[in-house]
């Protein structure tokens, strides 16, 4: 597994960044909040990463911090949520705000995130609420 990437930014957009590491460039999908935190092209950057292995592709996802990465990992364990939808969800709310919505069972505010309808919102709450409440109690 690739834990993190550190290198020089060659190109960037709202949801992608290309990082050069000693002559090898990595195209990394990022969330909009992470994109908003990127330094200028030519500057150095380190991102936490998740490598998604599919039969036809290797996809690298990057995160500005541990909380975003952990939320991403939780989301992709839910049926019908893949990495792309998980990144969209992370782009729709901060990890703390998203967790608060789950713990309080706020279906209405979850539905405001692109890609989440009423059934998906309820599924997310059912599957993640207990795990998030346990994490809060452990803190």
């Amino acid at each position: 597994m690739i834990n993190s990437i550190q290198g020089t930014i060659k190109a960037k957009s709202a949801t992608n960044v290309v990082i050069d590491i000693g002559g090898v460039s990595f195209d990394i999908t990022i969330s909009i909040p992470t994109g908003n935190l990127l330094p200028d092209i030519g500057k150095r950057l380190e991102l936490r990463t998740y490598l998604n292995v599919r039969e036809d592709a290797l996809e690298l996802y990057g995160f500005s911090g541990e909380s975003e990465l952990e939320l991403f990992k939780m989301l992709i364990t839910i049926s019908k949520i893949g990495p792309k939808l998980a990144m969209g969800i992370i782009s729709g709310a901060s990890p703390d705000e998203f967790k608060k919505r789950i713990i309080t069972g706020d279906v209405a505010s979850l539905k405001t995130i692109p890609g989440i309808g009423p059934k998906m919102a309820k599924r997310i709450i059912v599957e993640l609420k207990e795990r998030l409440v346990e994490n809060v109690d452990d803190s």
Side-chain angles (χ1 to χ4, degrees), residues 11 14 21 26 52 60 64 76-77 85 88 104-106 116-117 131 139:
I21 302 170
F26 291 86
N52 186 53
L60 196 56
S64 61
I76 62 174
T77 65
L85 180 55
T104 60
D106 189 351
I116 298 181
R131 289 172 32 192
S139 299

Side-chain angles (χ1 to χ4, degrees), residues 74-130:
M74 280 189 217
L75 286 167
I76 62 174
T77 65
I78 298 171
S79 173
K80 303 206 182 202
I81 296 183
K84 289 182 180 159
L85 180 55
M87 289 304 276
I89 292 169
I90 290 170
S91 292
S94 73
D96 289 339
E97 180 60 31
F98 188 79
K99 289 174 185 176
K100 181 180 169 189
R101 292 175 184 182
I102 301 284
I103 291 169
T104 60
D106 189 351
V107 173
S109 67
L110 285 174
K111 291 189 321 184
T112 65
I113 299 171
I116 298 181
K119 288 182 184 178
M120 180 65 70
K122 290 174 186 170
R123 180 183 299 135
I124 291 170
I125 290 168
V126 166
E127 294 200 30
L128 294 185
K129 186 174 184 175
E130 188 175 309

